[in-house]
């Protein structure tokens, strides 16, 4: 009987020799995944986050608002041409961009909002927000979205997305700029 050809040794796994866990095939991954169950539908906690957020804006208090954010926070926007941009911001970068808006809030501004939260798990939620603002005779209405995480029993913003801010950050026709305030200082 002819000799069988030698079976080549198995190829080394791409993560061999590292601390990384080896990749599983899709069937094993699905079998081992534990579907998250929402055991605490925390509408009240999410509503409290937004109530504190709104109060801090009305008081012109960026520090209280910043305490509601899990830094680094992922910020996303676009411009009127539809170019999108997103990046993580540190607390320092967030404060540099947001503090002037809090400090220069007109006293006669009227703001209202409503939000619809969908929990993904006990510690993650997505929220779509609708905003209305009136300053004098000027009225504005817009939508935004956030991704929340629960830390130490409190909901915090981990991602904030609001359209239209890109046009303010670059000269007309320029590419979407970095959202780094040191690079986007307005003249």
């Amino acid at each position: 009987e002819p000799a069988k050809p030698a079976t080549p040794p198995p190829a080394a796994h791409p993560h061999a020799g590292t601390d990384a866990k080896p990749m599983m095939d899709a069937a094993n991954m699905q079998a081992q995944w534990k579907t998250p169950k929402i055991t605490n539908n925390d509408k009240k906690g999410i509503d409290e986050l937004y109530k504190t957020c709104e109060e801090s804006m009305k008081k012109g208090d960026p520090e209280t608002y910043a305490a509601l954010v899990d830094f680094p926070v992922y910020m996303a926007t676009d411009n009127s041409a539809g170019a999108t941009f997103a990046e993580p911001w540190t607390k320092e970068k967030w404060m540099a961009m947001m503090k002037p808006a809090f400090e220069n809030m007109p006293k006669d501004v009227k703001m209202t909002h409503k939000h619809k939260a969908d929990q993904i798990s006990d510690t993650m939620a997505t929220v779509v927000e609708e905003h209305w603002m009136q300053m004098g005779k000027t009225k504005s209405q817009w939508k935004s979205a956030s991704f929340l995480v629960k830390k130490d029993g409190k909901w915090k913003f981990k991602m904030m997305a609001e359209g239209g801010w890109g046009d303010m950050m670059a000269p007309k026709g320029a590419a979407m700029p970095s959202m780094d305030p040191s690079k986007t200082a307005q003249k």
Side-chain angles (χ1 to χ4, degrees):
E1 183 173 314
K4 291 183 181 177
T7 305
H13 190 278
H15 298 291
T18 69
D19 290 338
K21 291 183 179 182
M23 296 292 290
M24 291 185 230
D25 63 58
N28 283 337
M29 286 175 52
Q30 191 67 30
Q32 292 184 21
W33 177 52
K34 304 285 187 250
T35 307
K37 304 282 189 251
I38 298 172
T39 61
N40 178 19
N41 191 347
D42 193 13
K43 180 181 180 335
K44 184 178 177 182
I46 292 172
D47 289 347
E48 185 62 32
L49 170 75
Y50 280 91
K51 180 182 175 196
T52 305
C53 172
E54 195 169 297
E55 288 170 357
S56 71
M57 290 176 71
K58 287 178 181 176
K59 291 177 185 174
D61 181 3
E63 288 294 337
T64 297
Y65 197 120
L68 306 173
V69 179
D70 180 35
F71 293 102
V73 62
Y74 200 69
M75 301 294 286
T77 193
D78 64 3
N79 64 16
S80 59
T84 58
F85 184 81
E87 73 177 9
W89 284 9
T90 62
K91 181 179 180 183
E92 294 75 24
K93 184 182 286 190
W94 189 91
M95 289 294 284
M97 292 295 271
M98 301 298 186
K99 193 173 181 181
F102 280 86
E103 291 173 343
N104 298 315
M105 189 70 64
K107 298 295 180 202
D108 68 340
V109 69
K110 294 177 184 161
M111 294 182 282
T112 57
H113 88 280
K114 67 180 181 177
H115 58 270
K116 181 184 181 312
D118 287 313
Q119 276 186 242
I120 297 170
S121 69
D122 283 342
T123 57
M124 295 190 296
T126 60
V127 184
V128 175
E129 305 148 4
E130 290 187 70
H131 307 266
W132 295 268
M133 183 168 62
Q134 183 171 350
M135 290 187 289
K137 294 182 180 185
T138 304
K139 295 180 182 181
S140 301
Q141 181 178 350
W142 69 96
K143 284 188 174 187
S144 60
S146 296
F147 185 79
L148 308 179
V149 294
K150 198 170 199 180
K151 292 238 172 155
D152 301 321
K154 299 279 185 184
W155 289 101
K156 293 188 171 217
F157 295 98
K158 190 61 182 173
M159 186 277 300
M160 300 172 157
E162 192 169 273
W165 291 103
D167 291 326
M168 292 180 54
M169 296 182 191
K172 217 170 199 166
M176 182 66 79
S178 167
M179 292 172 74
D180 181 341
S182 68
K183 296 178 184 170
T184 59
Q186 302 225 349
K187 295 179 182 178

